[in-house]
Amino acid sequence: MKKWIGSLCLAGMTWMGAYGQESPAPLKTGTANYLTIPADARSAAMGGCGVAMTDGNGAIFHNGAAALQDASSKGGISYTYIPWMRDHSSGFSLHSVGGFYRINRRHAVLLGFRRFGYPSLSGMEEGAADIHPKELAIEAGYAYRIVENLSVSATVKYLYADMGTAGDGNGAGTVAFDVAALYNREFRNLPDAFWSVGLQATHIGPKMKFLTSHESLPTMLKAGGAVSLPFLQIHRFTLTADAVWRLSPSDVQAFGINAGAEYSVASLLMLRGGYHYGDKEKGDNSYATAGAGVKYKGIRLDFAWMFAGRDCLARNTYWLSLGYGF
Protein backbone atom coordinates (compact mmCIF):
# COMPACT_ATOMS: atom_id res chain seq x y z
CA MET A 1 0.00 0.00 0.00
CA LYS A 2 2.80 2.43 0.88
CA LYS A 3 4.45 1.83 -2.48
CA TRP A 4 1.14 2.50 -4.21
CA ILE A 5 0.78 5.81 -2.37
CA GLY A 6 4.34 6.73 -3.28
CA SER A 7 3.75 5.94 -6.94
CA LEU A 8 0.54 8.01 -6.92
CA CYS A 9 2.34 11.01 -5.45
CA LEU A 10 5.23 10.60 -7.88
CA ALA A 11 2.78 10.44 -10.77
CA GLY A 12 1.47 13.84 -9.70
CA MET A 13 5.01 15.20 -9.89
CA THR A 14 5.95 13.67 -13.23
CA TRP A 15 2.61 13.92 -15.06
CA MET A 16 2.70 17.71 -15.25
CA GLY A 17 5.03 18.89 -18.01
CA ALA A 18 6.17 22.46 -18.36
CA TYR A 19 2.63 23.53 -19.27
CA GLY A 20 0.83 20.17 -19.11
CA GLN A 21 -2.15 19.37 -21.31
CA GLU A 22 -5.15 17.12 -20.74
CA SER A 23 -4.59 13.71 -22.32
CA PRO A 24 -5.75 10.14 -21.69
CA ALA A 25 -2.12 8.98 -21.92
CA PRO A 26 0.10 11.64 -20.30
CA LEU A 27 3.69 11.91 -21.42
CA LYS A 28 6.48 10.84 -19.11
CA THR A 29 8.00 14.23 -18.40
CA GLY A 30 10.47 13.38 -15.65
CA THR A 31 10.67 15.37 -12.44
CA ALA A 32 11.33 18.93 -11.23
CA ASN A 33 9.30 20.42 -14.10
CA TYR A 34 8.57 23.49 -11.97
CA LEU A 35 12.07 24.55 -13.03
CA THR A 36 10.68 25.25 -16.52
CA ILE A 37 8.12 27.78 -15.24
CA PRO A 38 9.27 31.43 -15.61
CA ALA A 39 10.37 32.32 -12.09
CA ASP A 40 9.65 36.07 -12.17
CA ALA A 41 6.93 38.34 -13.51
CA ARG A 42 9.12 40.34 -15.93
CA SER A 43 10.28 37.23 -17.77
CA ALA A 44 6.78 35.70 -17.69
CA ALA A 45 5.21 38.84 -19.19
CA MET A 46 7.68 38.64 -22.09
CA GLY A 47 6.80 35.08 -23.06
CA GLY A 48 9.36 33.46 -20.76
CA CYS A 49 12.39 35.24 -22.27
CA GLY A 50 15.44 35.81 -20.10
CA VAL A 51 18.66 34.37 -21.46
CA ALA A 52 19.72 37.63 -23.19
CA MET A 53 18.22 40.20 -20.77
CA THR A 54 20.41 42.15 -18.37
CA ASP A 55 18.17 42.28 -15.29
CA GLY A 56 20.12 41.12 -12.23
CA ASN A 57 17.46 40.26 -9.64
CA GLY A 58 16.21 37.21 -11.54
CA ALA A 59 19.53 36.46 -13.23
CA ILE A 60 20.13 33.20 -11.37
CA PHE A 61 16.99 31.74 -12.95
CA HIS A 62 17.80 32.87 -16.52
CA ASN A 63 21.45 33.78 -17.08
CA GLY A 64 23.71 34.38 -14.08
CA ALA A 65 26.12 36.42 -16.21
CA ALA A 66 23.50 39.21 -16.31
CA ALA A 67 24.46 40.09 -12.72
CA LEU A 68 27.58 41.79 -14.12
CA GLN A 69 25.78 43.47 -17.03
CA ASP A 70 23.06 45.12 -14.91
CA ALA A 71 24.38 48.68 -14.77
CA SER A 72 21.41 49.95 -12.76
CA SER A 73 22.14 48.08 -9.51
CA LYS A 74 25.03 46.84 -7.41
CA GLY A 75 22.74 44.22 -5.93
CA GLY A 76 19.14 43.29 -5.41
CA ILE A 77 16.58 40.73 -4.32
CA SER A 78 13.06 39.82 -5.44
CA TYR A 79 10.22 37.49 -4.44
CA THR A 80 7.62 36.03 -6.83
CA TYR A 81 4.34 34.26 -6.13
CA ILE A 82 2.71 32.08 -8.82
CA PRO A 83 -0.59 30.22 -8.22
CA TRP A 84 0.03 27.53 -10.85
CA MET A 85 -2.84 25.86 -12.75
CA ARG A 86 -5.33 27.86 -10.69
CA ASP A 87 -8.15 27.30 -13.21
CA HIS A 88 -7.64 23.54 -13.15
CA SER A 89 -7.09 22.70 -9.49
CA SER A 90 -6.38 24.68 -6.34
CA GLY A 91 -3.30 24.02 -4.25
CA PHE A 92 -0.48 24.24 -6.83
CA SER A 93 1.87 27.19 -6.25
CA LEU A 94 5.42 28.29 -6.94
CA HIS A 95 7.33 30.66 -4.67
CA SER A 96 10.72 31.95 -5.82
CA VAL A 97 13.36 34.24 -4.34
CA GLY A 98 16.32 35.46 -6.37
CA GLY A 99 19.12 37.92 -5.66
CA PHE A 100 22.63 38.99 -6.60
CA TYR A 101 25.53 41.12 -5.36
CA ARG A 102 28.32 42.59 -7.49
CA ILE A 103 31.54 42.33 -5.47
CA ASN A 104 33.31 44.50 -8.04
CA ARG A 105 33.18 45.02 -11.80
CA ARG A 106 34.54 41.51 -12.49
CA HIS A 107 32.89 39.32 -9.85
CA ALA A 108 29.33 38.73 -8.62
CA VAL A 109 27.54 36.14 -6.50
CA LEU A 110 23.93 34.99 -6.90
CA LEU A 111 21.45 33.11 -4.72
CA GLY A 112 18.05 31.57 -5.49
CA PHE A 113 15.31 29.52 -3.89
CA ARG A 114 12.21 27.90 -5.37
CA ARG A 115 9.42 26.01 -3.62
CA PHE A 116 6.70 24.23 -5.61
CA GLY A 117 3.73 23.05 -3.56
CA TYR A 118 1.10 20.46 -4.52
CA PRO A 119 -2.44 19.99 -3.17
CA SER A 120 -2.67 17.91 -0.01
CA LEU A 121 -3.48 14.21 -0.51
CA SER A 122 -5.52 12.24 2.00
CA GLY A 123 -3.88 9.17 3.51
CA MET A 124 -4.99 5.97 1.80
CA GLU A 125 -5.06 3.99 5.06
CA GLU A 126 -7.44 4.61 7.93
CA GLY A 127 -5.92 7.01 10.43
CA ALA A 128 -3.02 7.88 8.13
CA ALA A 129 -1.89 11.51 8.07
CA ASP A 130 -2.47 13.67 4.99
CA ILE A 131 0.40 13.91 2.52
CA HIS A 132 1.77 17.37 1.62
CA PRO A 133 4.02 16.95 -1.46
CA LYS A 134 6.47 19.70 -2.31
CA GLU A 135 9.64 20.27 -4.30
CA LEU A 136 12.50 22.62 -3.44
CA ALA A 137 15.50 24.10 -5.24
CA ILE A 138 18.34 25.89 -3.43
CA GLU A 139 20.69 27.64 -5.85
CA ALA A 140 24.01 29.47 -5.66
CA GLY A 141 25.92 31.03 -8.55
CA TYR A 142 29.07 32.92 -9.45
CA ALA A 143 29.55 35.31 -12.38
CA TYR A 144 32.86 36.48 -13.87
CA ARG A 145 33.56 39.20 -16.45
CA ILE A 146 36.11 37.84 -18.92
CA VAL A 147 36.45 41.03 -20.95
CA GLU A 148 34.56 44.31 -20.98
CA ASN A 149 31.46 43.07 -22.80
CA LEU A 150 31.53 39.33 -22.07
CA SER A 151 30.54 37.62 -18.81
CA VAL A 152 30.06 33.97 -17.86
CA SER A 153 28.44 32.22 -14.92
CA ALA A 154 28.07 28.85 -13.22
CA THR A 155 25.28 27.82 -10.87
CA VAL A 156 24.93 24.78 -8.63
CA LYS A 157 21.53 23.77 -7.28
CA TYR A 158 20.30 21.19 -4.82
CA LEU A 159 16.92 19.75 -5.81
CA TYR A 160 14.69 17.98 -3.32
CA ALA A 161 11.27 16.33 -3.64
CA ASP A 162 9.36 15.58 -0.43
CA MET A 163 6.46 13.13 -0.68
CA GLY A 164 5.54 13.36 3.00
CA THR A 165 4.69 10.05 4.63
CA ALA A 166 4.39 8.19 1.30
CA GLY A 167 6.69 5.21 0.80
CA ASP A 168 9.42 5.08 3.43
CA GLY A 169 8.91 8.71 4.39
CA ASN A 170 12.18 9.88 2.82
CA GLY A 171 12.39 12.41 0.05
CA ALA A 172 14.52 12.33 -3.08
CA GLY A 173 17.35 14.71 -3.89
CA THR A 174 20.01 15.42 -6.48
CA VAL A 175 22.46 18.12 -7.57
CA ALA A 176 22.29 19.96 -10.90
CA PHE A 177 24.29 22.68 -12.67
CA ASP A 178 23.76 25.63 -15.02
CA VAL A 179 26.38 27.36 -17.17
CA ALA A 180 25.75 30.56 -19.12
CA ALA A 181 27.36 33.40 -21.06
CA LEU A 182 26.19 36.91 -21.98
CA TYR A 183 27.67 39.38 -24.45
CA ASN A 184 26.37 42.95 -24.22
CA ARG A 185 27.43 45.90 -26.40
CA GLU A 186 26.32 49.42 -27.28
CA PHE A 187 25.35 50.29 -30.84
CA ARG A 188 27.91 52.44 -32.59
CA ASN A 189 26.66 56.04 -33.00
CA LEU A 190 23.53 55.32 -30.89
CA PRO A 191 24.13 56.47 -27.30
CA ASP A 192 22.49 54.34 -24.59
CA ALA A 193 21.26 51.80 -27.14
CA PHE A 194 22.58 48.25 -26.85
CA TRP A 195 22.24 44.69 -28.05
CA SER A 196 23.01 41.43 -26.29
CA VAL A 197 23.22 37.71 -26.99
CA GLY A 198 23.13 34.95 -24.40
CA LEU A 199 23.59 31.20 -24.05
CA GLN A 200 22.54 28.90 -21.22
CA ALA A 201 22.66 25.16 -20.52
CA THR A 202 20.47 24.44 -17.51
CA HIS A 203 19.39 21.67 -15.12
CA ILE A 204 22.32 19.40 -16.00
CA GLY A 205 22.55 16.56 -13.53
CA PRO A 206 21.86 12.92 -12.65
CA LYS A 207 18.39 11.44 -12.42
CA MET A 208 16.46 11.77 -9.19
CA LYS A 209 15.92 8.45 -7.43
CA PHE A 210 12.41 7.91 -6.08
CA LEU A 211 10.99 4.88 -4.32
CA THR A 212 10.07 3.00 -7.50
CA SER A 213 11.84 4.86 -10.34
CA HIS A 214 14.66 7.12 -11.51
CA GLU A 215 13.37 10.36 -13.09
CA SER A 216 15.24 12.70 -15.47
CA LEU A 217 15.63 16.43 -14.90
CA PRO A 218 14.34 18.94 -17.51
CA THR A 219 17.74 19.62 -19.11
CA MET A 220 17.52 22.52 -21.56
CA LEU A 221 19.72 24.52 -23.92
CA LYS A 222 18.81 28.14 -24.63
CA ALA A 223 20.13 30.82 -27.01
CA GLY A 224 18.74 34.32 -27.21
CA GLY A 225 19.16 37.90 -28.27
CA ALA A 226 17.87 41.31 -27.22
CA VAL A 227 17.86 44.87 -28.55
CA SER A 228 17.15 47.89 -26.33
CA LEU A 229 16.60 51.31 -27.93
CA PRO A 230 15.92 54.69 -26.27
CA PHE A 231 13.76 57.32 -27.98
CA LEU A 232 12.20 60.70 -27.15
CA GLN A 233 14.56 61.17 -24.20
CA ILE A 234 12.69 59.20 -21.50
CA HIS A 235 11.26 56.30 -23.48
CA ARG A 236 12.82 52.89 -24.17
CA PHE A 237 11.75 49.90 -26.25
CA THR A 238 13.23 46.42 -25.80
CA LEU A 239 12.75 43.38 -28.04
CA THR A 240 14.01 39.93 -27.07
CA ALA A 241 13.66 36.29 -28.18
CA ASP A 242 14.94 32.90 -27.02
CA ALA A 243 15.26 29.59 -28.83
CA VAL A 244 14.82 26.69 -26.42
CA TRP A 245 15.75 23.04 -26.90
CA ARG A 246 14.48 20.63 -24.25
CA LEU A 247 16.89 17.69 -24.18
CA SER A 248 15.40 15.37 -21.55
CA PRO A 249 13.48 13.22 -20.84
CA SER A 250 13.36 11.64 -24.30
CA ASP A 251 9.53 11.65 -24.36
CA VAL A 252 9.44 15.44 -24.37
CA GLN A 253 12.51 16.41 -26.41
CA ALA A 254 11.28 19.45 -28.32
CA PHE A 255 12.04 22.90 -29.69
CA GLY A 256 10.30 26.07 -28.52
CA ILE A 257 10.50 29.83 -29.00
CA ASN A 258 9.95 32.67 -26.53
CA ALA A 259 9.51 36.24 -27.78
CA GLY A 260 8.67 39.43 -25.95
CA ALA A 261 8.75 43.21 -25.87
CA GLU A 262 8.93 45.89 -23.17
CA TYR A 263 8.11 49.59 -23.35
CA SER A 264 9.28 51.79 -20.46
CA VAL A 265 8.80 55.43 -19.54
CA ALA A 266 11.52 57.14 -17.50
CA SER A 267 12.45 53.73 -16.02
CA LEU A 268 9.37 54.12 -13.80
CA LEU A 269 6.55 52.43 -15.72
CA MET A 270 6.89 49.31 -17.89
CA LEU A 271 4.38 47.65 -20.22
CA ARG A 272 5.17 44.17 -21.56
CA GLY A 273 3.85 41.49 -23.89
CA GLY A 274 5.07 38.17 -25.21
CA TYR A 275 4.38 34.81 -26.77
CA HIS A 276 5.63 31.28 -26.12
CA TYR A 277 5.51 28.73 -28.94
CA GLY A 278 5.64 25.13 -27.73
CA ASP A 279 5.16 21.65 -29.16
CA LYS A 280 1.69 20.60 -28.01
CA GLU A 281 2.41 16.96 -28.87
CA LYS A 282 5.18 17.06 -26.26
CA GLY A 283 2.96 18.55 -23.56
CA ASP A 284 4.13 22.15 -24.06
CA ASN A 285 1.24 24.42 -25.03
CA SER A 286 1.64 27.74 -26.82
CA TYR A 287 0.36 30.84 -25.02
CA ALA A 288 0.46 34.64 -24.94
CA THR A 289 1.39 36.85 -21.99
CA ALA A 290 1.04 40.47 -20.92
CA GLY A 291 2.13 42.43 -17.90
CA ALA A 292 3.24 45.69 -16.34
CA GLY A 293 5.68 46.98 -13.78
CA VAL A 294 6.50 50.03 -11.71
CA LYS A 295 9.82 51.03 -10.17
CA TYR A 296 10.50 53.77 -7.64
CA LYS A 297 13.66 54.41 -5.61
CA GLY A 298 14.84 50.85 -6.01
CA ILE A 299 11.51 49.24 -5.14
CA ARG A 300 9.96 47.30 -8.00
CA LEU A 301 6.54 45.68 -8.47
CA ASP A 302 5.82 43.52 -11.53
CA PHE A 303 2.76 41.58 -12.70
CA ALA A 304 2.16 39.11 -15.56
CA TRP A 305 -0.80 37.13 -16.88
CA MET A 306 -0.98 34.08 -19.15
CA PHE A 307 -3.57 33.80 -21.96
CA ALA A 308 -4.06 30.28 -23.33
CA GLY A 309 -6.66 27.89 -24.74
CA ARG A 310 -8.76 25.54 -22.65
CA ASP A 311 -6.44 22.62 -23.36
CA CYS A 312 -3.66 24.36 -21.40
CA LEU A 313 -4.03 23.56 -17.70
CA ALA A 314 -1.95 26.61 -16.77
CA ARG A 315 -4.25 29.13 -18.48
CA ASN A 316 -5.05 32.29 -16.50
CA THR A 317 -2.03 31.85 -14.26
CA TYR A 318 -0.53 35.09 -12.96
CA TRP A 319 2.86 36.15 -11.57
CA LEU A 320 3.39 38.80 -8.89
CA SER A 321 6.93 39.96 -8.09
CA LEU A 322 8.22 42.41 -5.48
CA GLY A 323 11.87 43.40 -5.54
CA TYR A 324 14.46 45.87 -4.33
CA GLY A 325 17.69 46.98 -5.99
CA PHE A 326 20.50 49.12 -4.60
Side-chain angles (χ1 to χ4, degrees):
M1 178 67 74
K2 287 184 178 180
K3 286 188 176 181
W4 188 85
I5 298 174
S7 297
L8 175 64
C9 189
L10 176 58
M13 295 180 178
T14 59
W15 155 77
M16 185 185 65
Y19 310 100
Q21 64 186 58
E22 297 170 295
S23 170
L27 295 168
K28 186 175 178 61
T29 62
T31 191
N33 281 290
Y34 66 96
L35 296 174
T36 69
I37 300 171
D40 63 272
R42 185 186 185 218
S43 171
M46 299 173 75
C49 292
V51 72
M53 295 197 296
T54 58
D55 183 11
N57 282 10
I60 194 165
F61 304 125
H62 305 294
N63 187 332
L68 288 170
Q69 301 291 352
D70 186 354
S72 63
S73 300
K74 182 177 179 61
I77 188 170
S78 63
Y79 163 75
T80 302
Y81 169 66
I82 309 164
W84 193 241
M85 299 201 304
R86 54 191 292 269
D87 268 16
H88 174 70
S89 177
S90 62
F92 294 94
S93 64
L94 176 62
H95 301 262
S96 68
V97 178
F100 78 104
Y101 179 74
R102 283 195 292 135
I103 300 170
N104 53 43
R105 64 180 302 275
R106 297 187 73 93
H107 305 273
V109 292
L110 307 96
L111 292 173
F113 174 78
R114 285 180 264 195
R115 181 191 186 279
F116 190 83
Y118 293 80
S120 297
L121 301 176
S122 299
M124 299 300 294
E125 299 175 350
E126 186 176 352
D130 289 350
I131 301 167
H132 302 279
K134 60 181 178 293
E135 295 189 80
L136 308 173
I138 302 171
E139 308 172 53
Y142 167 73
Y144 176 72
R145 188 190 300 271
I146 298 176
V147 293
E148 182 62 29
N149 303 107
L150 176 64
S151 301
V152 295
S153 69
T155 299
V156 59
K157 60 188 76 176
Y158 176 69
L159 308 177
Y160 178 73
D162 180 9
M163 294 181 288
T165 59
D168 58 7
N170 295 323
T174 191
V175 175
F177 302 89
D178 298 349
V179 291
L182 182 66
Y183 185 82
N184 184 47
R185 192 178 185 92
E186 286 193 347
F187 281 101
R188 188 175 299 177
N189 301 322
L190 286 176
D192 202 30
F194 66 88
W195 58 271
S196 59
V197 292
L199 295 171
Q200 183 195 37
T202 186
H203 319 317
I204 305 166
K207 293 182 177 181
M208 191 176 290
K209 182 180 179 180
F210 290 92
L211 186 64
T212 59
S213 66
H214 292 71
E215 301 295 332
S216 298
L217 301 178
T219 303
M220 308 177 86
L221 179 63
K222 302 179 181 181
V227 175
S228 185
L229 303 171
F231 63 99
L232 298 179
Q233 296 184 331
I234 63 172
H235 302 267
R236 178 174 292 273
F237 189 66
T238 301
L239 285 172
T240 184
D242 297 347
V244 182
W245 294 267
R246 179 155 178 169
L247 305 178
S248 70
S250 58
D251 271 14
V252 290
Q253 290 180 352
F255 173 76
I257 296 175
N258 306 326
E262 177 184 72
Y263 164 68
S264 65
V265 183
S267 297
L268 296 175
L269 173 65
M270 286 71 69
L271 300 176
R272 307 180 180 107
Y275 188 80
H276 167 79
Y277 168 77
D279 186 342
K280 186 176 179 179
E281 297 301 318
K282 299 295 186 178
D284 185 11
N285 289 80
S286 300
Y287 60 87
T289 57
V294 292
K295 184 177 180 181
Y296 182 70
K297 292 187 176 180
I299 299 174
R300 182 167 165 174
L301 181 65
D302 294 293
F303 179 81
W305 188 275
M306 177 192 291
F307 302 91
R310 294 189 60 81
D311 58 347
C312 178
L313 299 182
R315 63 186 180 275
N316 294 329
T317 286
Y318 67 83
W319 288 252
L320 185 63
S321 297
L322 178 63
Y324 177 72
F326 56 90

